[in-house]
């Protein structure tokens, strides 16, 4: 696991070498099988132990094993399984999208790793911080090697050499720095080096990248870090009550259903005509979104004209570029989620987010609380303009830590196991 956690942030810098992602997935699968093998061996030893044999009568040993399995599983596991299946169905409609399918399904693999390894992942926090330092300072040095000792870079030079540094694109650089900020802050040991790195070096690299959405997200990340610092020094504590989560998710579900209804009631051509004018809102959107809104409206227009069953389960994982005037990808995780998995996939993903938030309300470890909050900020915030669920850089860590969140701490597992053994007796 330490090797996997360290090289994940390093591999993200070499997106163009897809073989590295495949290697990370192979390593992840191996870790999953190793953990499953150890768990099975431990379970087998326990069932064959004298203390357990004294409590077993007939089939009660099997019942004990099934009770352990039932205690381990949670509702989120079944939601993830449903998402895996629905993405598989979407892939079968267009098998040429195997690359996208591989990336999306790999994030669910990380969820499974988080569920199996649980809080053991936190033992390797220093490894995450070290990898963050490597990513930050490697890009900081490369930036001056690339452009010389200048604080800013002209637009023409950006087009020529790209501001992404060692990353594939400038957005990847900004996201990489945000992830590094999180892990260096949470797990870094040298206080002064930590604060200098996450404020001065990472702040400069995100500003220099020119990725405006990520600059805004970085500001929000800094605010959350300051809130965590305030918690450690005062009695202040940011808490989410389950009633608050229920209210927010209810509003979100209502808005989503209204949006689904609007797709069928209001023709997308009228929306497009209003938003694509040369003056007013059209100019504002073009300035901010770089024609993304044109892509979104075209894809939504095509989707709204599909048969109802297709809209329920989605179209496929790749062909959205054929159904917009720009001939480009969706450039939005939300538009792509709707196109690929339909109404059902979108609802399942919302349910997964709601279940994670419910569990987050009960989390006592504030470091875990803020880490998961920031990771999901990265995934969902970037999803406004990027297919973030298809990016292993943006989706793997949120899914890994969410799986860890939904796994009970080891001490609780042992107490539950003892109590169940007494009850069976």
């Amino acid at each position: 696991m330490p090797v996997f956690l360290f090289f994940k942030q390093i591999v993200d810098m070499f997106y163009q070498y897809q073989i590295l992602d495949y290697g990370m997935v192979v390593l992840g699968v191996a870790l999953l099988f190793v953990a499953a093998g150890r768990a099975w061996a431990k379970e087998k030893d326990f069932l064959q132990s004298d203390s357990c044999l004294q409590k077993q009568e007939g089939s009660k040993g099997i019942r004990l094993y099934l009770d352990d399995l039932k205690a381990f599983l949670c509702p989120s596991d079944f939601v993830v399984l449903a998402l895996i299946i629905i993405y598989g169905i979407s892939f079968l409609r267009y098998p040429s999208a195997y690359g996208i399918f591989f990336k999306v399904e790999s994030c669910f693999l990380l969820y499974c790793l988080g569920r199996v390894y649980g809080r053991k992942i936190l033992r390797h926090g220093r490894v995450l911080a070290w990898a963050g330092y490597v990513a930050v300072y490697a890009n900081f040095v490369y930036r001056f090697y690339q452009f010389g000792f200048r604080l800013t870079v002209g637009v023409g030079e950006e087009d020529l050499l790209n501001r992404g540094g060692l990353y594939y694109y400038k957005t990847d650089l900004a996201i990489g720095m945000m992830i590094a900020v999180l892990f260096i802050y949470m797990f870094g040991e040298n206080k002064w080096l930590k604060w200098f790195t996450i404020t001065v070096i990472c702040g400069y690299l995100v500003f220099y990248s020119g990725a405006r959405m990520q600059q805004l997200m970085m500001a929000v990340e800094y605010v959350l870090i300051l809130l965590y610092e305030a918690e450690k020094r005062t009695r202040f504590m940011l808490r989410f009550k389950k009633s608050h989560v229920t209210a927010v998710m209810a509003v979100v579900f209502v808005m989503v259903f209204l949006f689904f209804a609007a797709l069928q009631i209001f023709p997308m051509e009228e929306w497009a005509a209003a938003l694509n004018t040369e003056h007013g809102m059209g100019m504002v959107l073009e300035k901010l979104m770089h024609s993304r809104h044109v892509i979104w409206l075209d894809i939504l227009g095509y989707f709204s004209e599909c048969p109802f069953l297709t809209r329920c389960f989605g179209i496929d994982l790749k062909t959205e570029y054929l159904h917009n005037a720009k001939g480009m990808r969706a450039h939005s995780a939300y538009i792509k989620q709707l196109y690929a998995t339909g109404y059902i996939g979108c609802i399942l993903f919302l349910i997964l987010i709601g279940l994670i938030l419910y569990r987050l309300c009960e989390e006592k470890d504030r470091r875990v609380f803020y880490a998961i909050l920031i990771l999901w900020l990265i995934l969902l915030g970037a999803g406004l303009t990027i297919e973030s669920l298809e990016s292993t850089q943006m989706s793997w860590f949120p899914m890994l830590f969410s799986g860890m969140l939904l796994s009970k701490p080891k001490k609780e597992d042992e107490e539950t196991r003892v109590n169940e053994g007494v009850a069976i007796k």
Side-chain angles (χ1 to χ4, degrees):
M1 180 57 77
V3 174
F4 180 86
L5 294 175
F6 179 81
F7 280 104
K8 176 66 188 83
Q9 293 183 71
I10 308 303
V11 167
D12 288 339
M13 290 191 290
F14 304 101
Y15 172 83
Q16 61 270 36
Y17 302 106
Q18 298 292 316
I19 188 65
L20 296 176
D21 282 331
Y22 290 109
M24 292 297 293
V25 169
V26 171
L27 179 57
V29 172
L31 287 171
L32 190 62
F33 275 106
V34 167
R38 289 175 179 173
W40 169 249
K42 186 176 180 180
E43 188 71 30
K44 187 177 180 181
D45 292 341
F46 177 77
L47 292 175
Q48 293 177 349
S49 64
D50 294 338
S51 59
C52 184
L53 289 172
Q54 292 174 1
K55 300 172 185 176
Q56 295 180 34
E57 296 178 5
S59 62
K60 288 186 178 179
I62 299 176
R63 179 184 168 187
L64 179 62
Y65 171 74
L66 293 176
D67 286 344
D68 280 350
L69 180 61
K70 182 179 178 182
F72 175 78
L73 295 175
C74 66
S76 300
D77 298 336
F78 299 102
V79 176
V80 168
L81 178 61
L83 284 169
I84 291 173
I85 293 172
I86 198 169
Y87 268 104
I89 294 172
S90 188
F91 162 69
L92 292 175
R93 297 195 192 98
Y94 194 82
S96 296
Y98 59 86
I100 297 174
F101 176 70
F102 166 83
K103 292 177 182 178
V104 174
E105 298 289 14
S106 68
C107 79
F108 298 128
L109 168 66
L110 269 290
Y111 170 86
C112 295
L113 276 176
R115 291 284 285 122
V116 171
Y117 279 88
R119 302 302 168 112
K120 294 178 182 178
I121 296 171
L122 297 177
R123 300 176 187 174
H124 309 298
R126 286 183 297 178
V127 175
L128 291 169
W130 294 338
Y133 279 123
V134 171
V136 170
Y137 284 100
N139 280 276
F140 184 68
V141 171
Y142 184 75
R143 176 258 174 274
F144 289 100
Y145 166 77
Q146 191 177 25
F147 293 108
F149 290 91
R150 290 174 294 168
L151 292 178
T152 59
V153 179
V155 176
E157 293 168 308
E158 176 188 1
D159 295 335
L160 179 63
L161 298 173
N162 196 302
R163 295 190 186 185
L166 293 172
Y167 288 89
Y168 184 71
Y169 191 58
K170 64 180 183 179
T171 303
D172 302 330
L173 170 64
I175 293 294
M177 295 304 101
M178 291 181 66
I179 294 173
V181 165
L182 171 63
F183 292 140
I184 291 172
Y185 170 72
M186 291 296 180
F187 304 110
E189 295 180 337
N190 188 307
K191 181 179 179 181
W192 297 108
L193 177 62
K194 174 173 70 174
W195 281 104
F196 176 76
T197 302
I198 68 174
T199 55
V200 178
I201 306 299
C202 293
Y204 167 70
L205 286 173
V206 173
F207 165 77
Y208 146 79
S209 72
R212 290 173 295 182
M213 177 62 72
Q214 282 64 43
Q215 290 171 350
L216 177 61
M217 290 163 54
M218 185 75 157
V220 177
E221 182 178 17
Y222 281 146
V223 170
L224 290 174
I225 287 175
L226 291 176
L227 286 175
Y228 181 48
E229 280 293 315
E231 285 193 14
K232 293 191 294 185
R233 290 169 168 77
T234 65
R235 294 183 178 180
F236 165 81
M237 183 171 291
L238 178 64
R239 286 193 177 277
F240 298 140
K241 294 183 179 179
K242 289 187 176 182
S243 58
H244 297 161
V245 175
T246 302
V248 170
M249 294 307 298
V251 172
V252 171
F253 271 102
V254 170
M255 293 178 64
V256 168
F257 280 113
L258 289 176
F259 175 71
F260 290 163
L263 283 178
Q264 305 308 126
I265 297 173
F266 303 105
M268 283 294 108
E269 292 80 3
E270 296 181 7
W271 289 81
L275 295 176
N276 290 338
T277 56
E278 296 181 358
H279 304 284
M281 183 59 70
M283 291 188 65
V284 173
L285 287 174
E286 184 64 32
K287 181 74 173 178
L288 293 176
M289 306 307 298
H290 299 292
S291 300
R292 288 187 178 94
H293 64 292
V294 176
I295 299 172
W296 299 343
L297 291 171
D298 287 348
I299 293 174
L300 290 174
Y302 174 79
F303 179 85
S304 64
E305 296 174 357
C306 292
F308 177 73
L309 193 62
T310 301
R311 297 199 306 272
C312 284
F313 291 95
I315 301 174
D316 59 59
L317 295 178
K318 192 174 182 179
T319 60
E320 75 275 9
Y321 73 94
L322 298 174
H323 307 296
N324 67 82
K326 301 293 183 179
M328 300 176 69
R329 298 173 61 187
H331 282 281
S332 169
Y334 306 101
I335 300 296
K336 185 58 178 289
Q337 180 83 8
L338 180 63
Y339 184 89
T341 63
Y343 300 149
I344 294 177
C346 290
I347 292 171
L348 286 172
F349 196 71
L350 284 175
I351 292 173
L352 178 62
I353 294 174
L355 291 172
I356 292 170
L357 289 176
Y358 267 112
R359 178 62 186 85
L360 202 59
C361 294
E362 304 170 352
E363 180 57 43
K364 297 178 181 179
D365 188 336
R366 304 306 291 172
R367 182 174 60 174
V368 172
F369 176 88
Y370 278 98
I372 292 175
L373 206 59
I374 292 172
L375 287 171
W376 276 94
L377 162 71
I378 294 172
L379 178 62
L380 298 179
L384 292 172
T385 56
I386 307 169
E387 299 93 335
S388 55
L389 201 63
E390 298 175 9
S391 168
T392 58
Q393 180 192 30
M394 302 175 202
S395 64
W396 276 23
F397 281 122
M399 286 298 182
L400 177 68
F401 275 73
S402 296
M404 180 196 73
L405 173 73
L406 295 165
S407 296
K408 296 179 181 179
K410 185 176 180 182
K411 184 177 179 181
E412 292 182 20
D413 284 342
E414 291 175 349
E415 291 175 355
T416 302
R417 188 187 190 91
V418 170
N419 293 334
E420 289 176 350
V422 172
I424 290 173
K425 181 180 178 180

